[in-house]
């Protein structure tokens, strides 16, 4: 989320609310439109409490989804590094292609999947290198105890990696349904309209401006916070970036490049397969 744009939205919304209240205040009777202001204030307090309680509950759920996506991305990157190490204990004719495919898997996540997660168009797309690695091992028969152990460990790590990938993708398309957004915005709008009936020509203008300005600023800021948690991969302050996978790629392509034999990678720098790169 762009923090400047968010701050501008809060300021503009508050300014519009203040302007409209001061306009209504010009013709408002002294004491406001309510005959019993205390009773009206009590009703408004109950409605505001219920609204902000709902907002707090939604923020909790949205943050849980945000954190799940962040942890999924970190776990997936860790499993890619661990599987690279596991592959070193397999037969040499399997180690080389698996190592290259793991690096391509990471590149595809960073260069292909992440931009689609940012714009919410990732859908149910599969990482082709996950399929390629499965095909690579589909006909492999371990020949020793160490190879058999590595073979079993590989598929165990693959299962965890795929679960972590699903956690990462979980928040890419947003978890707050449209009907809930409609209810939240409608409730906020009704609350602002209700406040206009407290317009009092006998009250100082600055006091009334402060009252509605603070409430509207808090409402809009909270809705923007929910919007941020609902779209955790958007660029800007706080957005989830592929830092963990980039770190893993740096380790695999540099520090672990000398572990075992690694042939020519079957993909380009963006993770796109070269000719037949995923046809195993």
């Amino acid at each position: 989320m762009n923090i400047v744009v968010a701050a501008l939205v809060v300021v503009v919304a508050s300014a519009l609310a203040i302007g409209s209240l001061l306009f209504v205040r010009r013709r408002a009777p002294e004491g406001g439109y309510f005959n019993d202001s205390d009773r009206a204030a009590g009703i408004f307090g109950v409605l505001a409490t219920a609204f902000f309680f709902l907002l707090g509950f939604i923020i909790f759920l949205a943050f849980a989804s945000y954190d799940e996506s962040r942890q999924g991305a970190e776990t997936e990157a860790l499993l890619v590094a661990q599987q690279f190490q596991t592959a070193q204990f397999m037969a040499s004719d399997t180690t080389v292609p698996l190592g290259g495919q793991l690096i391509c898997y990471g590149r595809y996540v960073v260069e292909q999947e992440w931009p689609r997660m940012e714009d919410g168009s990732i859908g149910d797309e599969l990482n082709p290198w996950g399929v390629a690695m499965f095909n690579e091992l589909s006909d492999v028969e371990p020949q020793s105890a160490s190879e058999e152990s590595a073979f079993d460990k590989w598929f165990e790590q693959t299962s965890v990696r795929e679960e972590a990938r699903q956690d990462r993708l979980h928040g890419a398309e947003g978890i707050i349904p449209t009907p809930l957004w409609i209810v939240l915005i409608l409730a906020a709008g009704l609350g602002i309209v209700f406040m206009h009936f407290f317009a009092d020509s006998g009250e100082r203008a600055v006091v009334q401006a402060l009252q509605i300005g603070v409430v509207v600023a808090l409402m809009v800021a909270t809705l923007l916070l929910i919007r941020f948690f609902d779209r955790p991969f958007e660029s800007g302050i706080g957005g989830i970036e592929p830092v963990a996978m980039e770190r893993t790629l740096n380790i695999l392509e540099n520090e672990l490049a000398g572990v075992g034999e690694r042939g020519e990678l079957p993909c380009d720098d963006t993770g796109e397969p070269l000719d037949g790169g995923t046809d195993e």
Side-chain angles (χ1 to χ4, degrees), residues 73-89:
E74 294 179 354
T75 301
E76 181 185 29
L78 176 63
L79 264 296
V80 169
Q82 290 178 347
Q83 285 194 286
F84 187 92
Q85 297 172 357
T86 300
Q88 308 310 310
F89 295 93

Side-chain angles (χ1 to χ4, degrees), residues 75-268:
T75 301
E76 181 185 29
L78 176 63
L79 264 296
V80 169
Q82 290 178 347
Q83 285 194 286
F84 187 92
Q85 297 172 357
T86 300
Q88 308 310 310
F89 295 93
M90 295 184 181
S92 58
D93 59 343
T94 303
T95 296
V96 174
L98 284 180
Q101 289 164 356
L102 279 168
I103 292 175
C104 291
Y105 178 97
R107 288 182 178 180
Y108 194 89
V109 168
V110 173
E111 302 296 340
Q112 301 294 330
E113 292 188 353
W114 223 269
R116 293 170 189 161
M117 289 192 299
E118 289 181 0
D119 59 28
S121 63
I122 186 67
D124 297 326
E125 176 186 311
L126 294 175
N127 189 315
W129 297 105
V131 178
M133 288 184 285
F134 176 81
N135 291 335
E136 180 68 34
L137 291 174
S138 60
D139 297 325
V140 172
E141 291 290 341
Q143 300 299 315
S144 65
S146 61
E147 289 181 13
E148 183 174 355
S149 177
F151 190 81
D152 292 340
K153 186 64 176 179
W154 172 276
F155 281 103
E156 177 184 332
Q157 292 171 331
T158 296
S159 178
V160 178
R161 191 197 71 226
E162 290 175 348
E163 290 178 3
R165 182 176 186 272
Q166 290 302 315
D167 289 340
R168 168 171 61 85
L169 297 178
H170 177 68
E173 297 182 356
I175 63 167
I176 307 298
T178 300
L180 183 55
W181 277 116
I182 294 175
V183 170
L184 289 175
I185 295 173
L186 178 62
L190 291 176
I192 295 172
V193 171
F194 194 93
M195 288 194 66
H196 280 69
F197 285 90
F198 287 102
D200 182 359
S201 59
E203 182 69 83
R204 294 177 59 187
V206 65
V207 173
Q208 295 224 298
L210 179 63
Q211 289 174 343
I212 194 170
V214 170
V215 172
V216 171
L218 183 58
M219 282 183 173
V220 175
T222 304
L223 290 174
L224 288 174
L225 180 62
I226 295 175
R227 173 66 172 74
F228 163 71
F229 286 139
D230 193 43
R231 298 288 182 178
F233 294 99
E234 287 189 353
S235 58
I237 296 178
I240 301 176
E241 299 290 342
V243 177
M245 188 63 76
E246 290 174 341
R247 185 186 307 117
T248 292
L249 287 174
N250 180 65
I251 293 173
L252 297 188
E253 297 188 61
N254 293 285
E255 295 182 19
L256 295 182
V259 179
E261 180 184 357
R262 195 190 76 184
E264 184 178 353
L265 296 179
C267 65
D268 58 21

